[in-house]
Each structure stands twice: as structure tokens, then as C-alpha cells.
Amino acid sequence: MDSIKRYLRFVKPYKGKIILTVLIGVLKFSIPLLMPLIIKYVIDDIINAESLAQSEKFDQLLMIMGAAFFVFLVLRPPIEYARQYLAQWIGSHILYDIREKLFDHIQRLSLRFYSKTKTGEIISRVIHDVEQTKTFVITGLMNIWLDMFTIVIAIIIMLTMDPWLTLVSIALFPFYGFAVKFFYARLRKLTKDRSQALAQVQGHLHERVQGVPVIRSFALEDHEQEQFDVQNKNFLDKAITHTNWNAYTYSVTNTITDIAPLLVVTFAGYQVITGSLTVGTMVAFVGYMDRVYNPLRRLVNSATVLTQSIASMDRVFEFVDEEYDIVDKPGAKKLQNVHGDVKVENVSFKYDDEEPLVLKNVSLDVRKGETIAFVGMSGGGKSTLISLIPRFYDVTEGRILIDGTDIRDVEARSLRDRIGMVLQDNILFSESIAMNIRMGNPDATDEEMIEAAKAANAHDFIMNLPHGYETQVGERGVKLSGGQKQRVAIARVFLKNPPLLVLDEATSALDLESENLIQGALERLASNRTTFIVAHRLSTITHADRIVLIENGEIIEVGSHSELMEKKGHYYNLYQVQELDDHPKEYI
């Protein structure tokens, strides 16, 4: 029940409104309890009243029914509205608070977590599972109490009419208690399994939707249909098992509900025949059976529904309990007024404890304004090294210092605020180009945004789009070419104006014209900034102050382009191979 205790922390701010909703609900549910009493009065005290004349019976009937119509037509509707509105308002606000908390949590989780978790599963927990917990608020904190009050009030009224018949009416209550206890634990586990299977379907579907171009290019539709069927069948099996057990619960509780009125009719009929009970009282008791056993049935059904809600809570808090890899130290300070000196000191790194080192004792001293290029074969550790600078991961051994301060001693968010990054595959959000550029500085003016776009060689192509800066770029910028996406990403960094710059394969996989435009923009961006470049194409980094060749996680060579070419070592050989690839000899 730890999940319930934790969930109640989100409920606590709305405690007063919940109590008010329950009190209004008690009034709302009490009004229908008058109906059997009205029927009893009409039968016993009006219809069967031998002492009353027909006109008197008509007068009393009109009077009692007039009062009843006033209560049910005038008083009850606004009470019903207030209860429904408040209950939904409270539930919706609690879900809003939980999703706010979860989104903050999502933004703090490490890249290591996202490398192991499907996006669809995360979305399933934030949307589907959180929505399921609303039942706990509406049913568990409100309706259950209202149903209990209804049962208690109805039993009290029944006791005043006939104690023995009341005991017969509630004789089957223990069977309900047994049903709840027997089915509850099993349903909770089955519900959790079902939710997990649904999350797997959503995760698989999310990946495949994003990969539709790959599926079509390889004509894998039939294969992927089979793969989806595996996930879908797993969910179907879990859903059917859950449905089977749920059906057992409903069949047992509904059978009890149907038998109880039969017992009452049998015993009450006997009493009426023997003259110890009036017909009106018998009819009233049958009416109250509905008022007692319907709430009781809802209570049992609520237990079933609450198992689903609590299982969803378990999944939500499982997600909340995911630990952060990158945590600010107590008393960590904001990184401000960065000069731009960066020192990598005896750094080793591995992604998981059981995996081998990706970087091995790497050291590098970078001065303000220098441009450092990392080159080498794929998998050598270049991108890993630059991902340590903004603390996407923490070093396993050694340390990284900015202006003499260990980056683990400052707030991670303030560190990243001082670093601009342009990647090979920059993520653009599906909104406008203006919004995507403004991510570099949400408070920037339109003039500042346009100047950033001009500096990134992006202004001209943006103005040729149908809606200019307000053009919607589609999911992940799908409506823009690779070169256009890169220039928008560079404009974003121009607007941010950071002292440190990281360029990871920023010009790879582009056509020559786009590469030239982007290369010019990047050189302007790198001016007077400490810049780290990861490049596959060596011709794009010959201007760098120093080139660092990394292989198998170790620095092999360091120097300028001319120095490394004169040395005729690993870099020279790599450059020659690329030159031959870019300019192959023609054979006649």
C-alpha cells in the first residue's frame, strides 16, 4: 500500500474540497432514500386508509407527491451537478499535478535510462497509467464513502420499520466481504501485467511508426506485421486472463445481489400473510433492497476497479523511483562568467559497470578560444568524450574542469546553459521555425531571432517557405531538408550565445552546397569560443588549432593539421585514404 500513501500526498492539497464533495454527495444519495418511504406512506396511509374519504385521499396524495416533485425536480439537480463537477474537477487537478511532476522527472533522467527504455512505454505511464489513477480519487476517496453512507442510512431506516426483516436483508453481507478478499490480490497482479503488456505494445508501435520509411524501403511490411502480432497477442492473452478473473468477480457478486431480494420477498410475504407486516412496509423493504445492494454491488465492483487504479499507481511510482545518474552535489553553485579554459584530466569512462572502458586515461588542456577537433575511426570514443563535457554522463575516473572548477561541483543545468551543441541529427520540434530557434533563448526578440538565422545562413530559405518563420516543421523537422534542419539548429545556438561550443558530426551526410553554407555558419559561430568538433570528414577540420586522434578510447596523436601531416603517422594515413575516396583516379 506504499503507492497509496505516496498518491495521497498529491491528494492532500484538495482535502477540503473532497470533504465538501462527500457531504454534497451524502445529500444527493439521501434524497432517493425517500422514495420507498413515500411508496409505503401512499400504500399504507392513503390507499389502504379506511378512515379517509376518497377526496381526502386525493388531497393527501397531491400534497405528498407535490413535495416529492419539488425535492426531485428543484433541489436534486443542482446538488447532482455540484457533486459531479467537484469530483471531476478534483480528479483532473490531481492528475495535472502528477503529470507535472512526471514531466520534471522525465527531464532529469539520464541518457543512459533513455538508451534502455522505449519512448512508448514512458508515454504509456505518463498518459494511460496516470489517467487510470483518477478512479482512485473519484471512486476510492468519494464514491465508496457515499455508498457506505447510503447503506448505513438505509439500514437505519429499515431497522425502524422491522428489525427482523432488516437482519434477513443484510444476511448475505459476509459473502461480499469474502468476494472482495478472495479476488482483490489476484486482480491487482493481473491488472499490472495487463498494463505492462499494453505499454510494450505502445513502445513497439511508437518505434515502428518512426521507422516506417525504413520498413518500406526494405519491404518489411509482412515481417513487421508478424512482429507486431507477437506484441499484440501478448497483450490479448493478458487482457483475456484479466477479463476472465474479472468476470468471476462480477458473476459472484451479482448472484448474491439477485438472491438477497428473493429472501426478503419470501420472509416479508410470510409476514404479510400472517398479518404481522403491512403491504406498504413490504414494498418499502423491496425498494430499500435496491438502495442497499446496489451501493454494495458498487462497493465490490469498486474494489475491482480500484485494483486497476492501484496497479497503475504502482507503475507510475516505479517510474518515479528511477534514479538520476547526474545529481547536483549539496551546495553546488551556478556556473557563471565562463572564461573558456577546459581541462580533461586522466579521464576514464564506461557506460555500465560490467562493460569495458570506452575512454582510457584521456588528458587534454584546452585554452580559451581554441578549436579542438576529435577524429578517428567510428567507436573510438570521440562522441563519448564530448558528451562528458555537458555532464550527459559522469566520468568513471579522473575529472573535467572548466576554468579550474570540477564540473561535478556546479549545477548541471547551469553548466549546460553555458554550452551550445550542434549534432549530426538535431531534434526539431513539430512547431514553428521561430519556436525552434527561440529554444536557444525563449526571451529573445524577433529581431534577435532573425539576426541569429542570418548568421546561420538560414534566413533566406526560411523566407522562401510558405509562412516564413511561422512555418510548421513537422515531427522531428520532417518537412525540412537535412541542411535546413542543421541551419535552424545552428541559429538556435547563435541565439543562445554560449562561451563553449560542441559540434558533433554537424556537417556529415549533407550535400556539398549545404555543407559549404553550414561550414561558413559554424566558423562564424566558433569565432572567439572554445570549440570542440567531432568530425568524420577531415577536410572540414583542417582549420582547427589542434586535432586529436582518438582510437580505442586513447589519444594517439595531437597537433595542428600541418604538424600531423608532417609527422606522417595515423592522421596522415587517415587523411590520405579520405583524399583518395573523395578524388578517385580516373582510369581510361
Side-chain angles (χ1 to χ4, degrees):
M1 294 298 169
D2 182 58
S3 294
I4 296 177
K5 291 180 182 177
R6 296 174 68 177
Y7 194 85
L8 288 175
R9 294 173 195 163
F10 291 95
V11 174
K12 190 174 181 181
Y14 304 96
K15 183 171 63 175
K17 286 187 172 62
I18 290 174
I19 292 172
L20 175 62
T21 305
V22 171
L23 292 176
I24 293 173
V26 170
L27 188 59
K28 178 250 180 183
F29 279 98
S30 296
I31 291 173
L33 294 177
L34 296 173
M35 188 62 73
L37 288 177
I38 292 170
I39 295 171
K40 177 183 182 301
Y41 180 81
V42 169
I43 292 174
D44 289 344
D45 298 329
I46 298 177
I47 295 174
N48 291 334
E50 296 177 358
S51 59
L52 294 177
Q54 189 179 57
S55 60
E56 290 177 314
K57 290 182 179 180
F58 278 131
D59 290 341
Q60 291 201 20
L61 180 64
L62 288 174
M63 185 175 64
I64 190 69
M65 296 314 296
F69 272 103
F70 176 80
V71 170
F72 282 91
L73 279 177
V74 178
L75 297 183
R76 194 167 185 265
I79 293 172
E80 174 71 33
Y81 170 83
R83 195 197 79 84
Q84 289 291 345
Y85 177 81
L86 278 173
Q88 294 298 327
W89 187 94
I90 293 165
S92 297
H93 274 73
I94 291 171
L95 265 56
Y96 169 86
D97 294 343
I98 294 171
R99 289 198 177 107
E100 284 281 298
K101 169 72 175 175
L102 289 179
F103 189 74
D104 178 68
H105 181 61
I106 284 170
Q107 295 191 97
R108 294 170 183 267
L109 286 168
S110 68
L111 296 185
R112 182 180 284 114
F113 169 79
Y114 289 109
S115 69
K116 298 185 294 185
T117 309
K118 290 182 178 179
T119 305
E121 289 198 30
I122 297 171
I123 293 171
S124 174
R125 299 203 186 201
V126 177
I127 302 300
H128 176 261
D129 285 319
V130 171
E131 191 66 31
Q132 286 288 94
T133 67
K134 189 177 182 180
T135 307
F136 176 77
V137 180
I138 305 298
T139 301
L141 297 180
M142 298 181 198
N143 290 355
I144 282 181
W145 293 106
L146 296 177
D147 285 333
M148 289 175 64
F149 279 127
T150 301
I151 292 168
V152 169
I153 294 170
I155 290 175
I156 290 171
I157 294 172
M158 290 161 68
L159 283 170
T160 61
M161 290 192 292
D162 192 299
W164 287 107
L165 189 54
T166 303
L167 290 177
V168 172
S169 301
I170 62 175
L172 297 181
F173 273 26
F175 291 96
Y176 274 97
F178 169 77
V180 172
K181 185 176 181 180
F182 182 76
F183 292 110
Y184 178 81
R186 177 68 173 158
L187 273 173
R188 182 176 179 181
K189 182 182 182 305
L190 292 176
T191 303
K192 191 173 180 181
D193 292 344
R194 180 182 177 276
S195 296
Q196 180 61 36
L198 179 60
Q200 289 171 353
V201 172
Q202 290 177 317
H204 183 87
L205 184 61
H206 185 272
E207 278 191 336
R208 268 42 183 193
V209 169
Q210 288 187 322
V212 163
V214 176
I215 293 170
R216 287 189 177 168
S217 65
F218 285 92
L220 291 172
E221 287 88 346
D222 291 342
H223 171 76
E224 286 302 323
Q225 188 68 46
E226 292 174 5
Q227 294 300 307
F228 181 76
D229 184 61
V230 170
Q231 299 290 337
N232 205 21
K233 182 66 164 58
N234 179 52
F235 172 67
L236 176 63
D237 291 342
K238 295 290 191 298
I240 293 299
T241 303
H242 177 272
T243 300
N244 182 49
W245 202 253
N246 211 21
Y248 280 135
T249 309
Y250 281 104
S251 65
V252 169
T253 55
N254 288 339
T255 299
I256 297 171
T257 304
D258 293 338
I259 290 174
L262 296 178
L263 293 177
V264 169
V265 170
T266 302
F267 189 72
Y270 170 78
Q271 287 184 303
V272 170
I273 292 171
T274 58
S276 58
L277 192 73
T278 66
V279 174
T281 303
M282 175 182 172
V283 173
F285 257 89
V286 173
Y288 277 118
M289 291 303 296
D290 185 54
R291 299 297 189 273
V292 168
Y293 275 88
N294 269 348
L296 195 59
R297 187 189 339 218
R298 285 197 300 268
L299 281 175
V300 177
N301 293 346
S302 295
T304 304
V305 171
L306 284 175
T307 58
Q308 300 176 18
S309 181
I310 293 168
S312 291
M313 278 186 211
D314 292 341
R315 282 173 45 77
V316 168
F317 289 114
E318 265 179 25
F319 180 56
V320 169
D321 289 338
E322 286 288 343
E323 295 183 357
Y324 307 134
D325 285 354
I326 308 300
V327 180
D328 291 335
K329 287 183 177 179
K333 298 179 180 179
K334 289 184 180 294
L335 182 63
Q336 296 175 332
N337 304 319
V338 172
H339 180 68
D341 294 332
V342 179
K343 188 173 185 179
V344 180
E345 195 174 87
N346 302 319
V347 165
S348 296
F349 175 77
K350 54 185 174 181
Y351 286 98
D352 285 304
D353 292 338
E354 62 273 12
E355 294 184 5
L357 289 171
V358 180
L359 296 173
K360 305 164 189 172
N361 199 34
V362 172
S363 294
L364 192 65
D365 201 347
V366 183
R367 296 178 295 278
K368 176 190 175 182
E370 272 196 297
T371 295
I372 306 297
F374 297 103
V375 300
M377 301 297 288
S378 296
K382 308 182 297 297
S383 294
T384 299
L385 178 56
I386 63 165
S387 70
L388 298 177
I389 297 171
R391 280 191 78 193
F392 292 154
Y393 303 93
D394 270 337
V395 299
T396 304
E397 295 176 14
R399 59 181 185 162
I400 297 175
L401 302 100
I402 293 180
D403 298 337
T405 301
D406 192 323
I407 60 175
R408 292 171 294 186
D409 294 334
V410 300
E411 293 179 3
R413 191 171 295 182
S414 70
L415 167 67
R416 292 165 193 156
D417 194 41
R418 302 293 180 268
I419 300 173
M421 302 191 73
V422 182
L423 310 176
Q424 178 181 354
D425 183 21
N426 286 283
I427 302 296
L428 297 186
F429 295 98
S430 61
E431 299 172 52
S432 67
I433 288 178
M435 176 270 177
N436 276 283
I437 295 176
R438 274 204 171 92
M439 291 195 73
N441 179 6
D443 299 322
T445 64
D446 287 346
E447 292 75 17
E448 290 170 332
M449 177 192 67
I450 291 169
E451 283 304 312
K454 287 178 178 178
N457 288 332
H459 179 72
D460 290 342
F461 93 77
I462 293 172
M463 294 309 295
N464 287 326
L465 293 172
H467 304 289
Y469 282 88
E470 296 307 313
T471 300
Q472 303 290 306
V473 301
E475 189 171 4
R476 297 177 68 90
V478 69
K479 294 181 181 179
L480 302 181
S481 70
Q484 289 172 335
K485 286 169 62 176
Q486 288 297 74
R487 280 178 274 170
V488 171
I490 293 168
R492 193 157 61 189
V493 179
F494 265 116
L495 197 60
K496 184 176 184 179
N497 193 27
L500 302 175
L501 187 61
V502 173
L503 310 175
D504 190 357
E505 302 276 15
T507 60
S508 66
L510 297 176
D511 59 82
L512 191 59
E513 182 182 356
S514 294
E515 183 180 326
N516 289 334
L517 286 168
I518 290 170
Q519 193 65 39
L522 290 176
E523 287 177 10
R524 283 194 295 277
L525 184 58
S527 178
N528 298 319
R529 304 178 204 271
T530 305
T531 304
F532 298 92
I533 304 174
V534 171
H536 175 71
R537 196 174 300 176
L538 302 184
S539 60
T540 62
I541 49 90
T542 55
H543 66 285
D545 296 303
R546 278 184 289 166
I547 297 169
V548 180
L549 180 67
I550 298 180
E551 288 185 6
N552 299 319
E554 297 179 286
I555 293 178
I556 305 300
E557 292 177 346
V558 180
S560 66
H561 172 71
S562 57
E563 289 170 348
L564 293 177
M565 290 300 287
E566 288 177 13
K567 188 177 179 181
K568 294 191 175 181
H570 290 77
Y571 177 81
Y572 175 85
N573 294 332
L574 196 59
Y575 192 84
Q576 292 299 317
V577 170
Q578 284 201 8
E579 283 294 294
L580 287 172
D581 288 342
D582 291 340
H583 306 288
K585 294 180 180 180
E586 293 184 5
Y587 293 92
I588 300 175

